[in-house]
């Protein structure tokens, strides 16, 4: 089959790095001179794989079955995590009884790894169809199935013919998301979106729908945040088609019908949006995640410029900003000048770093999974707020470096996943929240109150630090946090 | 694995091994695996000392290591782990990609023999088997690495046979069995969760007796203790649940250890009274259920004995979800036959979520109580049954020190049966 979108990996982006460290100014200057190179961590902790994000992108589509062609372990994040996350969404939507998504593992064993697993894949697909008669069967590759050379494309084609002969039009959509494919797990989303275009949308060319805007968003957004974005877009006269998480088959087929494309942040679906612009002539904007006043203004203005809705946007921004101004000012009197460290996904991290600027806080260090030349402007904007000296640690988590740095910096507050930070006794909170919006102007207040709460009552972290220690040796804290980073030679 | 499995409730052998090592306080698992294994294969296990899967050392093998081999990467990963991670025991666990590409992991691990810390090397590539395979492999490797014998302690027992993540009330259950044995003067090594887990493993060679709670798991561990330290294993058909089971359990252990029977009888009597005080206060609300039970045999057998033999319910069907090998299935069927009720439960061995639904639907309109995992919650509603969560996975509840076993635990179980709204 001739694929409209070939598989690509983000590691090939200009200036891509997932292992680096330096002050923001230093890294940015190198990136601007096209000489930012990846370093090497001689010691690493667990990193997410692309398969997990491909699963997350596709698992919520109804009338589909996801066949995970792998040993049993590769269905962990789908069987336990993704379906459970969807249940949280359903609960927030008041739809507790909506059907579960269907995930079947081919359960590869030693025999299949030696003799090949395609026979098992055929049997599993037959079960999927017998059980649920789906519109689409997704076939996800894994490390094991890929190394042994199982041809999931060929099986998909055979199955399509076989079922067509039985009078059934079923889409068989392979996703080449083996875990070792890319160092950037956002690639898993690209692969999933490419599969939707290549196998589901194909050559569909529906007429444009007035005012329809595709909003590409990750699974890590809460239902509340999806609703808040919808509300903001409605306010400027646009109707949002949110994809791919929580979308229906019909929503997917509407992708080419949209007048505009926008993503929740600058590093999600950006490549697919460019493809849509080339194939369907749909204009798009690349902007940041709407967290914090500055970032929300920027996000909304970028969309308004695209759709010629500048006046509506300015009126909305004014009304919403006015509504929260007094409370933001009240919180800011408490938070002004506090020193913060931040750990988040790249897009969320950029936005959260502007939010703490809204509250007059100073950024000391930021842990973020990726760098590439496309983010230069984002770092410039952060430097306007926080100066050029804050440390940027390019790392997919790596808590051993985080705890080391935090012990030395002793920030007033830590923002991000705080499993290990709580044990240090440092006030902390997470910017992810499933129940209330963290996005938009309401989110500014909600997150501001979270900062205030973390500072006003840190008793839990303080007490915990007396009883629970992190899994790192005392000697480690005396060393430089980046002792295990081998920097590339400079040219 | 014989066939595909929809919504697996247990995972691969790497998961089983992580479940063992990750639940031993201050034991550090080191993954020689591709990215993603740390996250996927640690699903539903407890890596709390590490702060979750992000804290797990991993070689994160990418294409380069898959194509050209990953031994150099493994070497630096082990070195870093020993220098940075504060542990007393380390275990290198292999994932699929590094298991297929033929890295000689054992040789690399041997290079670290001079390290002051014990390091095990366990080939747990996911395709080798399921969670139970991994549990057997990792528990044996750990006991081999750590257990020593200085002098037999006639009042010390080792307890195993329960993969940690398969028990949704693990902490509470380990606490309850420890409490019960302590009452008759016996100290229990439970290995997991406790902060002295590694000390317990080291001392386990001094135990007078092993108690294996599974009808089929960890036979390799029984054999190793017998051959190396001369320790016999007392095997139970699952956890003791409720006063009858607990009395039988304590008496059997006491006999084997030659304990003072007067003390044992006194303890048993007090524990029985404790349970019946609670059951008595509830009897006005007693509702007799016809039940379906879904779960792993180590837990489900004990629950069934309590529900039928003590609390007076009618068993309709029991669906065992652990992948019990054929040769052990008959003994489990026999145990179900022994339930003290003239109507005998149908027995099934199945773990596929769709197949379980097909089985359960045969009882539509008859079952009034459905006990299983979070996967069965909607199914119970569909069948119009009350629902209680008793088996893995538990996705929609936090369980901390709650137990479902012994005498205190069976009271919590009864609460769960009544608090089903």
């Amino acid at each position: 089959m001739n694929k409209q979108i070939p598989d690509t990996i983000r590691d090939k982006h200009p200036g891509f790095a997932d292992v680096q460290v330096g002050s923001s100014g230093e890294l940015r200057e190198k990136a601007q001179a096209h000489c930012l190179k990846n370093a090497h961590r001689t010691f690493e902790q667990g990193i997410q794989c692309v398969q997990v994000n491909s699963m997350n992108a596709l698992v919520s589509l109804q009338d589909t079955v996801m066949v995970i062609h792998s040993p049993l372990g590769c269905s962990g994040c789908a069987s336990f995590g993704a379906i459970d996350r969807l249940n949280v969404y359903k609960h927030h939507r008041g739809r507790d009884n909506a059907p579960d998504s269907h995930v079947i593992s081919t359960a590869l064993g030693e025999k299949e790894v030696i003799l090949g697993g395609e026979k098992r894949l055929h049997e599993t697909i037959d079960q999927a169809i017998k059980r649920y008669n789906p519109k689409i069967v997704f076939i996800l590759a894994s490390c094991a199935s890929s190394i042994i050379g199982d041809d999931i494309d060929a099986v998909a084609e055979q199955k399509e013919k076989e079922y067509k002969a039985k009078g059934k039009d079923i889409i068989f959509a392979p996703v080449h998301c083996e875990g070792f494919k890319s160092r950037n797990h956002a690639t898993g989303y690209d692969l999933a979106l490419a599969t939707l275009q290549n196998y589901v949308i194909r050559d569909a060319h529906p007429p444009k729908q007035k005012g329809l805007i595709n909003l590409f968003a990750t699974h890590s957004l809460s239902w509340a945040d999806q609703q808040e974005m919808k509300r903001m877009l409605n306010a400027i006269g646009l109707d949002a088609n949110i994809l791919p998480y929580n979308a229906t088959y019909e929503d997917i087929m509407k992708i080419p019908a949209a007048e505009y494309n926008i993503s929740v942040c600058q590093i999600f679906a950006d490549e697919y949006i460019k493809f849509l612009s080339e194939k369907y002539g749909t204009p798009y904007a690349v902007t940041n995640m709407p967290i914090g006043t500055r970032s929300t203004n920027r996000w909304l203005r970028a969309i308004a410029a695209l759709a010629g809705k500048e006046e509506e946007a300015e009126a909305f921004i004014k009304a919403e900003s006015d509504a929260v101004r007094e409370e933001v000012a009240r919180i800011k009197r408490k938070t002004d000048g506090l020193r913060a460290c931040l750990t988040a996904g790249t897009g969320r991290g950029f936005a959260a770093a502007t939010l703490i600027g809204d509250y007059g806080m100073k950024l000391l260090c930021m842990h973020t999974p990726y760098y590439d030349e496309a983010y230069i402007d984002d770092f410039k904007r952060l430097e306007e707020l926080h100066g050029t000296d804050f440390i940027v640690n390019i790392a997919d988590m790596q808590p051993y470096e985080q705890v080391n740095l935090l012990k030395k910096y002793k920030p007033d507050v830590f923002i991000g996943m705080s499993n290990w930070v709580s044990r240090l006794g440092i006030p902390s909170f997470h910017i992810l929240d499933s129940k209330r919006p963290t996005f938009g102007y309401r989110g500014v207040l909600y997150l501001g109150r979270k900062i205030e709460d973390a500072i006003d009552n840190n008793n839990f972290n303080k007490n915990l630090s007396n009883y629970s220690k992190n899994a790192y040796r005392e000697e480690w804290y005396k060393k430089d946090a980046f002792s295990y980073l081998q920097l590339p030679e400079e040219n | 694995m014989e066939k595909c499995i929809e919504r697996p409730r247990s995972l691969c052998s790497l998961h089983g091994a992580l479940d063992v090592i990750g639940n031993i306080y201050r034991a550090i698992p080191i993954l020689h695996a591709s990215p993603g294994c740390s996250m996927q294969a640690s699903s539903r296990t407890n890596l709390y000392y590490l702060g979750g899967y992000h804290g797990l050392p991993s070689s994160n093998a990418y294409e380069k290591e898959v194509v050209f081999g990953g031994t150099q990467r493994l070497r630096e990963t082990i070195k870093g782990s020993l220098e940075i991670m504060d542990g007393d025991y380390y275990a290198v666990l292999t994932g699929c990609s590094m298991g297929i590409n033929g890295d000689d992991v054992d040789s690399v691990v041997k290079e670290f023999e001079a390290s002051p810390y014990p390091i095990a090397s366990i080939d747990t590539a996911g395709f080798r088997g399921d969670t139970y395979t991994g549990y057997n492999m990792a528990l044996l490797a750990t006991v081999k690495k750590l257990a020593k014998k200085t002098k037999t302690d006639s009042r010390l027992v080792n307890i195993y046979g329960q993969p940690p993540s398969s028990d949704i009330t693990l902490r509470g259950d380990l606490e309850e069995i420890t409490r019960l044995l302590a009452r008759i003067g016996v100290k229990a090594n439970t290995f997991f969760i406790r902060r002295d887990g590694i000390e317990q493993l080291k001392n386990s060679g001094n135990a007078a007796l092993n108690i294996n709670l599974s009808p089929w798991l960890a036979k390799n561990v029984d054999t190793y203790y017998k051959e190396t330290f001369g320790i016999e294993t007392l095997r139970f058909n699952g956890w003791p649940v409720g006063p009858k089971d607990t009395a039988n359990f304590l008496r059997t252990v006491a006999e084997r250890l030659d304990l003072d029977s007067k003390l044992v009888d006194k303890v048993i009597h007090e524990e029985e009274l404790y349970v019946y005080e609670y059951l008595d206060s509830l009897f006005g609300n007693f509702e007799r259920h016809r039940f379906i039970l879904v779960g792993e045999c180590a837990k489900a057998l004990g629950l069934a004995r309590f529900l039928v033999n003590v609390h007076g319910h009618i068993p309709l069907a029991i669906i065992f979800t652990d992948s019990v090998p054929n040769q052990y299935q008959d003994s489990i069927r026999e145990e179900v036959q022994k339930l003290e009720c003239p109507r005998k439960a149908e027995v099934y061995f199945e773990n596929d979520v769709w197949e379980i639904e097909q089985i359960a639907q045969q009882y539509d309109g008859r079952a009034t109580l459905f006990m299983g995992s979070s996967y069965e919650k909607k199914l119970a509603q569909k069948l119009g049954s009350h629902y209680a969560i008793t088996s893995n996975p538990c996705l929609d509840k936090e369980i901390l020190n709650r137990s479902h076993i012994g005498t205190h635990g069976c009271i919590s179980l009864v609460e769960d049966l009544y608090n089903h709204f």
Side-chain angles (χ1 to χ4, degrees):
Chain A
M1 172 176 183
N2 195 13
K3 290 179 185 172
Q4 296 180 36
I5 306 179
D7 284 359
T8 53
I9 56 171
R10 285 183 175 250
D11 316 43
K12 301 237 155 78
H13 284 199
F16 171 79
D18 71 327
V19 182
Q20 256 298 354
V21 70
S23 73
S24 181
E26 192 187 337
L27 291 181
R28 179 183 43 74
E29 276 168 25
K30 277 187 196 164
Q32 278 174 316
H34 311 292
C35 61
L36 184 67
K37 284 187 192 163
N38 224 0
H40 174 74
R41 264 191 191 87
T42 57
F43 173 73
E44 272 186 338
Q45 292 168 302
I47 284 175
Q48 190 185 326
C49 70
V50 293
Q51 193 201 38
V52 174
N53 270 351
S54 293
M55 281 176 194
N56 281 328
L58 300 171
V59 75
S60 65
L61 262 178
Q62 293 300 296
D63 295 325
T64 67
V65 178
M66 183 177 288
V67 171
I68 302 175
H69 189 37
S70 66
L72 285 168
C74 304
S75 47
C77 288
S79 189
F80 298 141
I83 296 181
D84 188 44
R85 182 194 287 273
L86 267 172
N87 283 337
V88 173
Y89 266 73
K90 285 175 195 157
H91 179 71
H92 289 165
R93 300 170 75 177
R95 296 184 192 168
D96 284 305
N97 290 324
D100 279 337
S101 292
H102 310 304
V103 173
I104 311 186
S105 168
T106 53
L108 298 179
E110 218 145 4
K111 197 176 124 201
E112 290 74 27
V113 165
I114 294 165
L115 302 174
E118 290 181 13
K119 184 168 165 275
R120 175 67 60 78
L121 179 57
H122 275 279
E123 291 164 5
T124 307
I125 291 171
D126 290 338
Q127 278 294 321
I129 293 164
K130 176 186 138 192
R131 293 177 184 187
Y132 301 110
N133 194 26
K135 271 201 185 83
I136 307 171
V137 177
F138 292 113
I139 304 166
L140 272 67
S142 64
C143 291
S145 71
S146 157
I147 298 174
I148 64 173
D150 278 4
D151 189 346
I152 60 172
D153 288 354
V155 172
E157 276 183 42
Q158 280 172 35
K159 285 315 229 190
E160 188 160 326
K161 276 188 207 133
E162 186 188 323
Y163 278 91
K164 204 161 248 161
K166 292 179 191 168
K168 275 192 177 172
D169 268 328
I170 297 168
I171 296 167
F172 295 90
V175 192
H176 292 270
C177 55
E178 54 276 6
F180 58 80
K181 189 180 195 115
S182 162
R183 294 188 64 92
N184 185 328
H185 57 68
T187 295
Y189 264 114
D190 299 330
L191 297 170
L193 291 168
T195 291
L196 288 175
Q197 180 68 39
N198 291 337
Y199 293 90
V200 182
I201 299 173
R202 297 192 195 196
D203 292 316
H205 219 305
K208 294 280 181 196
Q209 280 183 33
K210 191 134 187 58
L212 185 67
I213 181 166
N214 291 323
L215 169 55
F216 291 91
T218 62
H219 69 285
S220 55
L221 302 189
S222 65
W223 172 245
D225 279 334
Q226 285 202 354
Q227 290 312 293
E228 187 61 9
M229 285 194 293
K230 234 180 187 164
R231 189 182 73 87
M232 291 193 279
L233 292 174
N234 277 341
I236 62 167
L238 294 173
D239 182 18
N241 184 30
I242 301 185
L243 304 146
Y245 204 69
N246 267 329
T248 62
Y249 173 78
E250 288 70 28
D251 294 337
I252 300 292
M253 296 308 289
K254 265 198 306 201
I255 288 176
E259 278 199 303
Y260 316 103
N261 284 322
I262 186 81
S263 165
V264 69
C265 70
Q266 57 277 66
I267 63 162
F268 178 67
D270 46 338
E271 306 210 338
Y272 185 46
I273 284 174
K274 278 177 214 146
F275 166 86
L276 291 173
S277 140
E278 284 157 24
K279 176 158 171 119
Y280 301 101
T282 319
Y284 65 94
V286 175
T287 174
N288 53 205
M289 205 177 260
I291 294 178
T293 316
R294 286 177 175 82
S295 296
T296 304
N297 291 349
R298 222 179 141 253
W299 183 81
L300 201 59
R301 282 182 181 138
I303 299 167
L306 197 62
K309 304 277 189 187
E310 287 91 342
E311 268 177 41
E312 290 90 332
E314 291 309 322
F316 181 77
I317 290 171
K318 184 172 185 311
E320 295 267 318
S321 312
D322 286 350
V324 300
R325 183 164 294 117
E326 207 174 303
E327 179 73 349
V328 169
R330 183 193 65 75
I331 296 170
K332 193 178 170 186
R333 282 195 287 277
K334 269 187 177 173
T335 54
D336 209 19
L338 292 180
R339 299 147 67 247
C341 292
L342 167 68
T343 297
T346 307
R348 198 178 288 269
F350 286 139
T354 67
L355 170 90
I356 63 172
D358 293 344
Y359 285 105
M361 296 160 73
K362 181 103 181 119
L363 186 64
L364 297 181
C365 68
M366 173 173 171
H367 276 77
T368 188
Y370 311 114
Y371 205 113
D372 79 39
E373 288 176 17
Y375 312 154
I376 290 171
D377 285 346
D378 294 290
F379 279 108
K380 268 192 201 156
R381 270 191 293 278
L382 292 189
E383 287 167 20
E384 283 162 23
L385 267 176
H386 300 294
T388 54
D389 288 342
F390 66 90
I391 297 294
V392 179
N393 184 15
I394 311 296
D396 189 348
M397 296 313 258
Q398 306 307 319
Y400 80 102
E401 290 179 353
Q402 290 186 22
V403 288
N404 182 307
L405 212 55
L406 288 168
K407 267 216 172 184
K408 287 170 182 147
Y409 278 175
K410 298 187 179 62
D412 300 305
V413 65
F414 170 83
I415 302 159
M417 186 183 215
S418 60
N419 300 20
W420 39 88
V421 181
S422 297
R423 287 173 177 161
L424 299 176
I426 296 167
S428 62
F429 75 98
H430 203 333
I431 43 170
L432 285 171
D433 203 293
S434 60
K435 187 72 184 159
R436 292 196 166 76
T438 60
F439 282 10
Y441 305 92
R442 294 172 180 186
V444 172
L445 267 199
Y446 180 63
L447 291 174
R449 287 177 182 139
K450 278 182 94 160
I451 301 173
E452 184 188 14
D453 295 347
I455 292 158
D456 280 346
N457 192 342
N458 186 41
N459 289 336
F460 176 69
N461 288 7
K462 216 160 60 189
N463 292 326
L464 189 71
S465 68
N466 293 325
Y467 297 94
S468 287
K469 70 178 291 296
N470 280 308
Y472 306 102
R473 296 193 188 284
E474 282 308 314
E475 301 90 87
W476 167 237
Y477 298 111
K478 292 176 197 140
K479 287 191 193 165
D480 184 88
F482 305 106
S483 308
Y484 289 80
L485 218 63
Q486 279 178 354
L487 293 172
E489 280 178 32
E490 303 278 339
N491 292 339
Chain B
M1 270 48 64
E2 299 294 304
K3 58 181 179 70
C4 63
I5 302 177
E6 180 170 348
R7 254 198 123 173
R9 56 193 79 215
S10 61
L11 301 175
C12 62
S13 43
L14 177 59
H15 172 258
L18 269 175
D19 202 21
V20 170
I21 311 297
N23 275 286
I24 300 169
Y25 193 72
R26 292 179 63 81
I28 310 288
I30 301 170
L31 292 190
H32 188 35
S34 286
C37 290
S38 58
M39 189 177 186
Q40 299 244 42
S42 67
S43 300
R44 312 302 304 162
T45 63
N46 194 332
L47 298 173
Y48 80 105
Y49 177 59
L50 295 170
Y53 84 91
H54 296 290
L56 189 53
S58 171
S59 59
N60 296 326
Y62 285 95
E63 206 148 14
K64 185 178 142 215
E65 285 78 19
V66 170
V67 176
F68 299 108
T71 48
Q72 182 48 33
R73 179 66 175 150
L74 174 61
R75 202 168 280 123
E76 60 186 25
T77 303
I78 298 176
K79 184 171 175 283
S81 301
L82 292 168
E83 288 166 356
I84 297 168
M85 307 303 298
D86 191 10
D88 296 321
Y89 164 55
Y90 298 74
V92 177
L93 312 176
T94 318
C96 286
S97 60
M98 296 296 99
I100 298 173
N101 81 347
D103 272 6
D104 188 351
V105 177
D106 287 352
S107 298
V108 177
V109 173
K110 274 210 182 83
E111 294 170 18
F112 292 88
E113 256 171 4
S115 147
Y117 307 101
I119 314 174
S121 166
I122 316 172
D123 180 6
T124 52
F127 55 86
R128 301 246 181 258
D130 58 12
T131 296
Y132 308 100
T133 318
Y135 170 80
N136 281 352
M137 285 162 111
L139 186 60
L140 178 64
T142 300
V143 169
K144 272 187 177 172
K145 207 51 152 183
L146 298 179
K148 298 279 177 301
K149 180 167 187 163
T150 45
K151 188 171 172 286
T152 298
D153 178 343
S154 62
R155 295 289 180 269
L156 181 67
V157 299
N158 300 321
I159 295 182
Y160 53 85
Q162 171 68 66
S165 70
S166 308
D167 183 0
I168 63 167
T169 49
L170 178 76
R171 280 170 187 258
D173 292 348
L174 295 180
E175 283 172 16
E176 173 68 352
I177 202 132
T178 305
R179 183 188 71 82
L180 287 166
L181 287 166
R183 287 210 67 193
I184 60 168
V186 173
K187 186 176 177 300
N189 284 328
T190 56
F191 307 155
F192 301 123
I193 301 293
R194 292 280 304 264
R195 289 199 174 183
D196 64 346
I198 289 187
E199 276 313 300
Q200 292 188 1
L201 278 155
K202 285 182 179 166
N203 289 332
S204 67
N206 293 333
L209 186 68
N210 292 330
I211 294 172
N212 186 331
L213 294 163
S214 168
W216 67 282
L217 278 168
K219 296 229 165 182
N220 55 346
V221 181
D222 298 352
T223 308
Y224 180 79
Y225 274 119
K226 171 87 177 113
E227 286 175 354
T228 314
F229 306 115
I231 304 172
E232 300 280 345
T233 297
L234 193 58
R235 195 173 270 274
F236 285 89
N237 276 321
W239 291 91
V241 182
K244 268 193 194 175
D245 241 18
T246 301
N248 173 49
F249 175 81
L250 292 177
R251 276 206 184 93
T252 312
V253 174
E255 258 170 43
R256 288 295 288 267
L257 296 178
D258 206 14
L259 304 180
D260 172 13
S261 64
K262 263 195 214 143
L263 169 71
V264 175
D265 288 342
K266 180 175 166 280
V267 167
I268 287 173
H269 185 62
E270 285 170 9
E271 292 289 328
E272 285 170 341
L273 272 179
Y274 178 88
V275 174
Y276 283 98
E277 276 301 300
Y278 280 104
L279 295 185
D280 189 55
S281 67
L282 192 71
F283 79 99
N285 287 334
F286 178 70
E287 193 178 352
R288 182 170 290 105
H289 284 297
R290 290 182 301 266
F291 70 85
I292 298 175
L293 179 56
V294 178
E296 283 154 318
C297 58
K299 206 57 174 292
L301 286 171
L303 295 178
R305 286 189 296 260
F306 169 72
L307 290 165
V308 177
N309 301 350
V310 176
H311 209 221
H313 300 286
I314 308 290
L316 285 182
I318 306 179
I319 304 169
F320 294 105
T321 56
D322 39 344
S323 42
V324 182
N326 289 335
Q327 68 261 38
Y328 301 110
Q329 293 186 358
D330 280 348
S331 71
I332 291 168
R333 283 203 177 85
E334 276 166 35
E335 185 66 14
V336 175
Q337 277 292 314
K338 282 192 233 155
L339 292 174
E340 297 160 17
C341 175
R343 276 150 63 190
K344 300 300 176 189
E346 305 273 353
V347 174
Y348 304 86
F349 295 90
E350 185 53 68
N351 56 9
D352 178 294
V353 87
W354 184 83
E355 297 283 3
I356 287 174
E357 185 166 348
Q358 308 312 303
I359 294 168
Q361 278 172 350
Q362 299 169 33
Y363 301 88
D364 195 7
R366 283 191 285 153
T368 59
L369 173 65
F370 199 115
M371 282 165 293
S373 73
S374 292
Y375 290 0
E376 280 76 45
K377 195 174 183 177
K378 282 180 192 156
L379 177 57
Q381 280 170 354
K382 214 163 142 184
L383 300 180
S385 316
H386 293 305
Y387 162 81
I389 187 153
T390 54
S391 69
N392 169 59
C394 173
L395 300 174
D396 46 6
K397 247 190 191 147
E398 285 297 343
I399 298 177
L400 295 175
N401 71 352
R402 194 166 197 77
S403 168
H404 280 164
I405 66 121
T407 48
H408 287 190
C410 79
I411 302 299
S412 309
L413 176 70
V414 170
E415 284 177 356
D416 289 346
L417 300 188
Y418 283 82
N419 300 336
H420 46 61
F421 284 108

